[in-house]
Structures are given as structure tokens and as C-alpha cells.
């Protein structure tokens, strides 16, 4: 289990840049930081990304985290109207 994802990702990227294998990276990090610090699954997943030239290690913002306060306010004000459309359509799909 990853104890601190940001640090672990940075270490995995560093190991990748040193041309170490995913297993070597996992072993090195676990030896230095303690058994179970990085899992085999995490090491291989990140190495797969790095090999695909996806070097970004930061989490992407989730959909709702990227929305501002005004987006939520507008949505709340539209909620009653939207639910009424759902009821009137019997739960069928409709355009907004």
C-alpha cells in the first residue's frame, strides 16, 4: 500500500529515469522506506505510464473539484426544474 502517493510516484519516476525495472524500483523503494511502501501493482502501473511517455505524476482534478462555486449555485437553482422534467418524462431520457 502506498503511504504517500506523491513521494512514491516521484521515487518511481526517478527509478524509471535511472533505467531500473519496475521490480527493481519496487524493491529499492521498499528497502529504503519499509516493506509495503509501494505495491507491485502500483509500480507496474506507473512504469506502464512512463513507458507510454506519460510522465505526469500529479493527480488530475476530479470533475467536481474543477467546478467553481457559481457552477454549483446554478445547478442547485435548476434542480427542481430538472427533477420535474424527469417526473414528467417517466424517467426517460430528455434534452436539457
Amino acid at each position: 500500500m502506498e503511504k504517500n502517493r506523491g513521494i512514491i510516484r516521484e521515487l518511481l519516476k526517478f527509478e524509471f529515469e535511472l533505467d531500473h525495472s519496475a521490480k527493481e524500483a519496487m524493491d529499492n523503494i521498499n528497502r529504503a522506506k519499509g516493506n509495503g511502501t509501494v505495491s507491485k501493482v502500483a509500480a507496474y502501473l506507473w512504469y506502464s505510464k512512463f513507458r507510454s511517455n506519460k510522465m505526469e505524476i500529479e493527480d488530475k482534478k476530479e470533475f467536481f473539484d474543477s467546478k467553481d462555486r457559481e457552477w454549483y449555485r446554478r445547478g442547485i437553482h435548476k434542480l427542481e426544474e430538472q427533477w420535474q422534467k424527469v417526473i414528467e418524462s417517466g424517467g426517460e431520457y430528455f434534452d436539457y
Side-chain angles (χ1 to χ4, degrees):
M1 175 184 218
E2 294 182 47
K3 295 178 182 176
N4 186 324
R5 295 185 313 200
I7 293 170
I8 300 307
R9 291 173 187 174
E10 190 70 38
L11 291 170
L12 286 168
K13 184 177 178 181
F14 178 74
E15 291 277 341
F16 178 81
E17 290 169 341
L18 289 173
D19 205 27
H20 294 166
S21 70
K23 181 174 182 342
E24 288 173 314
M26 180 187 68
D27 291 343
N28 290 340
I29 295 167
N30 285 334
R31 188 170 49 252
K33 299 295 184 183
N35 269 345
T37 300
V38 63
S39 69
K40 182 177 180 178
V41 170
Y44 282 82
L45 172 73
W46 281 99
Y47 263 65
S48 174
K49 290 179 182 187
F50 298 151
R51 281 191 295 273
S52 298
N53 206 30
K54 297 176 184 169
M55 303 304 283
E56 184 62 43
I57 58 173
E58 300 298 320
D59 284 329
K60 291 182 180 177
K61 273 192 166 184
E62 297 293 328
F63 175 78
F64 291 108
D65 292 339
S66 68
K67 301 303 178 190
D68 64 10
R69 193 177 190 114
E70 182 61 22
W71 184 85
Y72 285 99
R73 190 189 68 70
R74 284 191 312 270
I76 288 170
H77 286 289
K78 291 181 181 179
L79 192 57
E80 183 178 358
E81 176 187 333
Q82 297 303 322
W83 273 110
Q84 188 60 41
K85 287 181 181 180
V86 170
I87 292 167
E88 290 169 1
S89 71
E92 296 295 318
Y93 177 82
F94 63 90
D95 290 324
Y96 288 96

